[in-house]
Amino acid sequence: MESTFSSSAEAALQRDAGAAGLPTPFVDLDRVYELQRVVGFVRDLGCQRVALQFPDQLLGDAGVVAARLEETTGSKMFILGDTAYGSCCVDVLGAEQAGAQALVHFGPACLSPPARPLPVAFVFGQRSVALELCAKAFEAQNPDPTAPVVLLSEPACAHALEALATLLRPRYLDLLVSSPALPLPEGSLNPEPEPLERFGRRFPLAPGRCLEEYGAFYVGGSGTSSDPDLDPDLNRLLLGWAPERPFSSCCPDTGQTRDEGARAGRLRARRHYLVERARDARVVGLLAGTLGVARHREALAHLRNLTRAAGKHSYVLALGRPTPPKLANFPEVDVFVLLACPLGALAPQPFGSFFRPILSPCELEAACNPAWPPLGLAPHLTHYADLLPGSPFHVPLPPPESELWDTPDVSLVTGELRCPPAWKPSNDAGCSALTPRPQLELVESSPAASFLSSRSWQGLQPHLGQTPVTGAVSGRRGIAIAYEDEGNS
């Protein structure tokens, strides 16, 4: 039987377990996986046990790469191919279970700091880039040679940005080249001046300049897909980039370009809608989408305090990767918030498949914190660490006596007036005492019980002593599709 939240058993049995991708030719392994750099990393640390983390599309090469590295370094290699959450995060838990002393991460990475210290080397791969075609595409998209532009790319194309900038700099005077924000080796000194780190990249801005002044030229993608949800790394850039600055993308293979302004507008419109849904919600489900990224426990406590301050109930759910069947078990939850890395929070979601919308922590912050700047003026932060104390983007909750808590609001989804929260934030983060309303009524009820009481059928009712005693009678015979008393029709 098929429904919105399930599929037939036959389809599940015949489904492919996963596409591992085409194997890389043997002669290209050293170049694609940068084996010489990995060998130097292992030898410099003197590690005897090393974990190799591969995403699903690269598992076809995992055995050959591990064998080559074991033969060259003499160290024992362990392949990590099944992460509990996203493959873009460093799986420190899996590495600890294997007793690994270091980890090499292959494929796309969010570059989020791990929750536990562990030497990590990142290998993004080196995708071929048609430099001449990309340079012509850049000139067509940026006719003004004095306009400030940043060169961006997907991780696999980052190796070609400097070569592309060399072709463009004779004409373009204000060109900035970004680079992946890889962790610095231990004992190394930070460069002076220290570059700006945002979106998992470093931007070597000149003194007195800010990133909001620059347009963007992104090298990556296939150039054929029109779905904005297929590339979470590009989505992160589109949501966080200044709306008034131009943003274009270029396919590294064909040089085909696209103006991403319309796509960015659609993404922002959907985020504004999700903020309204969060403001209307009474019950919020907090999904633990990572256990290996730093400060995830602090962020979870921050979100719980945020929902409590806004007068909403919250439940913490640890379900692994969220799927429609899992979340459909919680119909009393109005919205879910996925606490994950920047790429995991923006991962592709099948349209219309989830019973309730899934938000990012930034959208919950915009919905529950009355001191947060209005939509359109506040930056869209893709990493939950930017919401925590110590970040330049952190906005503390107003004091309990602030008038911001009493400002009325109208829902743009239902058109109804939203009442101010029934309670104010407590100074004690762990306080769960009952709070009296002005009418001296205690308000501490279970959202699940309230949801159950509103349903027309609440399960079997015993009604002991309230029903007459009768003799047993013969019931219907047959199966549900055709009972005996239904005839042959």
Side-chain angles (χ1 to χ4, degrees):
M1 179 178 179
E2 296 187 19
S3 67
T4 305
F5 306 111
S6 65
S7 57
S8 63
E10 182 180 359
L13 292 175
Q14 295 179 354
R15 186 186 307 126
D16 292 336
L22 296 176
T24 303
F26 187 80
V27 295
D28 295 335
L29 284 177
D30 288 352
R31 177 184 60 84
V32 174
Y33 291 100
E34 304 180 45
L35 296 186
Q36 293 299 324
R37 182 166 69 89
V38 175
V39 169
F41 169 76
V42 175
R43 287 178 174 173
D44 290 343
L45 294 176
C47 300
Q48 299 300 318
R49 302 168 67 90
V50 181
L52 307 179
Q53 182 177 343
F54 291 85
D56 293 342
Q57 65 270 20
L58 298 181
L59 282 177
D61 296 331
V64 180
V65 172
R68 290 280 300 274
L69 291 176
E70 282 189 349
E71 179 182 356
T72 307
T73 63
S75 302
K76 182 66 175 177
M77 301 292 165
F78 297 86
I79 297 175
L80 306 180
D82 185 16
T83 57
Y85 298 100
S87 59
C88 61
C89 300
V90 175
D91 189 8
V92 292
L93 300 180
E96 287 184 353
Q97 292 177 355
Q101 300 165 306
L103 184 143
V104 182
H105 184 284
F106 296 94
C110 60
L111 299 179
S112 300
R116 297 178 177 87
L118 182 71
V120 181
F122 293 93
V123 178
F124 302 122
Q126 295 189 1
R127 182 179 177 182
S128 61
V129 178
L131 294 177
E132 295 292 340
L133 295 177
C134 292
K136 292 180 181 179
F138 183 94
E139 294 173 354
Q141 290 290 327
N142 302 275
D144 185 4
T146 61
V149 183
V150 177
L151 288 181
L152 303 165
S153 74
E154 66 179 37
C157 298
H159 65 95
L161 285 188
E162 282 294 345
L164 179 60
T166 302
L167 296 178
L168 297 173
R169 280 200 174 104
R171 180 183 176 189
Y172 291 89
L173 307 178
D174 197 353
L175 194 63
L176 190 67
V177 181
S178 65
S179 60
L182 296 173
L184 298 176
E186 293 186 7
S188 61
L189 299 177
N190 293 330
E192 294 292 342
E194 187 174 353
L196 173 69
E197 285 195 17
R198 289 192 65 185
F199 313 115
R201 295 163 170 85
R202 291 191 177 98
F203 300 90
L205 292 170
R209 303 295 298 273
C210 61
L211 195 59
E212 288 72 19
E213 303 175 9
Y214 288 82
F217 185 81
Y218 180 86
V219 180
S222 61
T224 58
S225 175
S226 59
D227 191 344
D229 290 333
L230 294 180
D231 190 349
D233 183 55
L234 181 57
N235 289 349
R236 168 169 62 168
L237 291 167
L238 292 176
L239 286 170
W241 210 260
E244 66 276 5
R245 305 305 301 172
F247 197 113
S248 57
S249 63
C250 174
C251 176
D253 303 321
T254 63
Q256 179 182 354
T257 60
R258 189 208 315 263
D259 186 359
E260 300 292 351
R263 177 186 293 193
R266 291 193 300 268
L267 288 172
R268 294 190 185 99
R270 172 164 177 75
R271 298 300 158 181
H272 292 174
Y273 166 75
L274 293 178
V275 171
E276 288 295 314
R277 290 292 302 267
R279 288 172 176 167
D280 292 338
R282 296 180 54 211
V283 183
V284 179
L286 304 178
L287 302 176
T290 180
L291 296 177
V293 179
R295 306 185 70 182
H296 67 276
R297 293 186 180 181
E298 184 180 351
L300 186 59
H302 173 76
L303 296 182
R304 295 186 64 183
N305 185 43
L306 191 66
T307 55
R308 185 187 305 113
K312 305 178 187 297
H313 295 274
S314 65
Y315 294 101
V316 179
L317 306 174
L319 306 175
R321 296 184 183 182
T323 60
K326 292 179 182 178
L327 301 189
N329 291 314
F330 307 95
E332 67 273 13
V333 176
D334 297 319
V335 295
F336 294 95
V337 179
L338 180 58
L339 182 67
C341 69
L343 299 186
L346 299 174
Q349 299 174 4
F351 178 76
S353 60
F354 284 96
F355 186 58
R356 293 285 189 260
I358 300 180
L359 289 70
S360 66
C362 179
E363 290 147 5
L364 183 68
E365 184 84 25
C368 298
N369 189 348
W372 192 258
L375 295 177
L377 299 179
H380 186 92
L381 307 176
T382 55
H383 197 350
Y384 61 76
D386 294 331
L387 305 173
L388 302 179
S391 167
F393 301 101
H394 172 67
V395 178
L397 288 172
E401 62 275 6
S402 174
E403 296 180 356
L404 294 176
W405 294 105
D406 300 326
T407 303
D409 190 16
V410 177
S411 171
L412 299 181
V413 177
T414 63
E416 299 178 356
L417 181 67
R418 299 192 190 100
C419 298
W423 46 44
K424 303 293 180 66
S426 172
N427 294 329
D428 183 7
C431 177
S432 58
L434 302 179
T435 305
R437 287 183 184 271
Q439 297 85 359
L440 300 181
E441 297 176 359
L442 293 180
V443 288
E444 181 65 28
S445 60
S446 169
S450 301
F451 178 80
L452 180 62
S453 63
S454 64
R455 300 182 64 174
S456 59
W457 187 80
Q458 302 178 7
L460 298 177
Q461 303 293 332
H463 295 300
L464 297 177
Q466 302 178 18
T467 54
V469 179
T470 59
V473 297
S474 177
R476 306 180 74 179
R477 297 176 179 271
I479 59 178
I481 195 174
Y483 290 103
E484 293 178 357
D485 58 349
E486 291 181 341
N488 297 325
S489 59

